Amino acid sequence: MDLSPVESIQGLRFKREDKFAPLGYGGINGSKLRQLIWLVYQYKSKGNSAGLISGASVKSPQISMGTAVANHFGLPSTHVIGATNPKSSLQHSDVKIATMLGATFEYSKVAYNFALQTKVQQLLSTRKYRNYMYLEYGVTLDHTKHSAERIEQFHRIGAEQVRNIPECDALIVPSGSCNSLTSVLYGLALYKPSIKKLILIEIGPSRRKWVYERMAVIQNSMEGLKTDVLGVFDKYPIEYHDLHGSKYVTYQDTMDYTHADIEFHPRYEGKVMTYISRRQPSLLNEDNLFWIIGAKSKIEKMEEFIK
């Protein structure tokens, strides 16, 4: 629950969730890692010790983070990856980091997410994996399959990070899977910082309906409490920039971007900062605040830890 810092760097302000990096800056980090630790802790605290299994793209940080957190709690981990093999998959940094930490892999002939998750479900029905924790794709909990109370607890982890948000004209949040965005919105409902508007930069297919449904589930978990979770949509005007729908980028695209010593994740924040600098440069000012959800972990930093 410790708060990651808000920093002013060369005329811009950032919420530095990339500095939630338990192994040191440059290692695994970010909002998803915070919630992943909570998920695995919950599994282990109930007396489970079989292991962790997930399915994800070879480019997904879920593979390296899932392995590292499982390793921390003394659990083996297995990941289903697709359209690759043991040799070529090591070209991807997250697979290499996971391998260094002892992960094992199962392979799907195709890399579509539906195929990966289907393979995971098949493995969970076998004797070897039947008691493993299923780490859902995107490091999340499906709100159609889990209780409202559990969804609220999951997002409360990230919601706490709103507590040190200063007054600003606009809070700019990258919106991909929107799990982190949902946590931010929940935090805004809880702590009501002085923000004139939200600017959401969508880097994947629209999840607006999904976010509203998710917030409604959180609202339903709070029966008898006074927090108006859904009221956040009325309190803060929202400005959307749909990078995916406008075909400015696809999810698979990467864009490198640096500001001072910050190296933004090329698949997420790098795209957002590139877009803003080229198409919306007026947003780059000290009156706004940019929320960094996480940064790409570096193999050399993880190697230092492992040694």
Side-chain angles (χ1 to χ4, degrees):
M1 292 298 187
D2 290 353
L3 298 178
S4 58
V6 172
E7 297 180 343
S8 295
I9 303 173
Q10 293 186 5
L12 300 178
R13 291 189 295 174
F14 301 94
K15 170 66 173 177
R16 300 294 304 270
E17 278 287 77
D18 58 321
K19 286 199 169 181
F20 177 71
L23 306 181
Y25 188 71
I28 56 172
N29 67 89
S31 302
K32 286 185 180 292
L33 176 60
R34 191 190 302 278
Q35 289 169 308
L36 173 56
I37 291 170
W38 181 81
L39 287 170
V40 180
Y41 173 77
Q42 292 286 308
Y43 170 82
K44 191 68 184 288
S45 65
K46 293 176 182 177
N48 300 306
S49 60
L52 176 148
I53 187 169
S54 78
S57 163
V58 291
K59 300 175 182 179
S60 173
Q62 175 169 328
I63 294 175
S64 57
M65 292 195 302
T67 303
V69 176
N71 187 297
H72 172 75
F73 284 100
L75 303 174
S77 60
T78 296
H79 305 279
V80 175
I81 52 181
T84 188
N85 58 63
K87 184 177 180 181
S88 62
S89 64
L90 290 175
Q91 298 173 10
H92 302 280
S93 61
D94 287 292
V95 175
K96 186 170 182 180
I97 291 170
T99 301
M100 289 161 47
L101 288 166
T104 58
F105 296 90
E106 298 278 354
Y107 300 90
S108 166
K109 291 182 180 179
V110 294
Y112 291 117
N113 187 51
F114 178 79
L116 299 180
Q117 305 312 317
T118 299
K119 177 78 170 179
V120 172
Q121 293 303 318
Q122 291 171 347
L123 291 171
L124 283 167
S125 67
T126 66
R127 176 176 293 184
K128 180 178 179 180
Y129 294 109
R130 65 186 177 190
N131 292 321
Y132 271 48
M133 170 191 160
Y134 171 41
L135 176 58
E136 297 179 28
Y137 177 70
V139 186
T140 188
L141 292 173
D142 186 340
H143 61 261
T144 68
K145 298 179 180 178
H146 296 274
S147 70
E149 289 73 21
R150 187 155 167 77
I151 299 301
E152 186 277 330
Q153 291 168 3
F154 175 80
H155 284 293
R156 186 61 181 259
I157 304 298
E160 288 297 298
Q161 292 303 313
V162 172
R163 285 196 289 124
N164 67 342
I165 295 302
E167 180 178 349
C168 58
D169 284 350
L171 176 61
I172 304 171
V173 184
S175 304
S177 71
C178 291
N179 277 288
S180 296
L181 170 61
T182 302
S183 296
V184 172
L185 290 172
Y186 184 26
L188 293 176
L190 289 170
Y191 300 113
K192 302 176 178 59
S194 181
I195 297 169
K196 292 181 180 177
K197 70 175 177 179
L198 283 169
I199 298 179
L200 307 183
I201 313 293
E202 299 171 304
I203 51 180
S206 177
R207 304 271 280 175
R208 297 177 199 180
K209 183 174 181 289
W210 182 91
V211 169
Y212 188 87
E213 291 174 352
R214 193 93 166 167
M215 292 290 284
V217 168
I218 295 173
Q219 180 74 73
N220 290 338
S221 76
M222 306 182 74
E223 185 176 354
L225 300 179
K226 295 182 179 180
T227 302
D228 181 11
V229 175
L230 292 177
V232 73
F233 295 104
D234 297 320
K235 181 175 177 59
Y236 299 100
I238 300 177
E239 178 180 309
Y240 293 96
H241 294 257
D242 186 356
L243 275 56
H244 185 273
S246 67
K247 301 189 185 305
Y248 181 79
V249 292
T250 69
Y251 178 77
Q252 296 300 327
D253 292 336
T254 58
M255 293 181 173
D256 294 327
Y257 194 95
T258 59
H259 177 79
D261 63 345
I262 304 175
E263 295 181 22
F264 294 93
H265 197 298
R267 195 171 304 282
Y268 305 105
E269 285 84 354
K271 289 178 189 173
V272 174
M273 290 298 290
T274 299
Y275 166 78
I276 291 174
S277 65
R278 292 177 180 176
R279 302 286 183 88
Q280 303 287 333
S282 63
L283 295 178
L284 297 175
N285 64 73
E286 62 185 4
D287 295 320
N288 294 337
L289 179 68
F290 187 96
W291 191 293
I292 300 177
I293 293 171
K296 189 176 180 64
S297 56
K298 298 180 179 180
I299 291 176
E300 58 269 24
K301 290 294 183 180
M302 293 300 292
E303 285 178 331
E304 289 177 10
F305 170 75
I306 293 170
K307 291 176 182 179

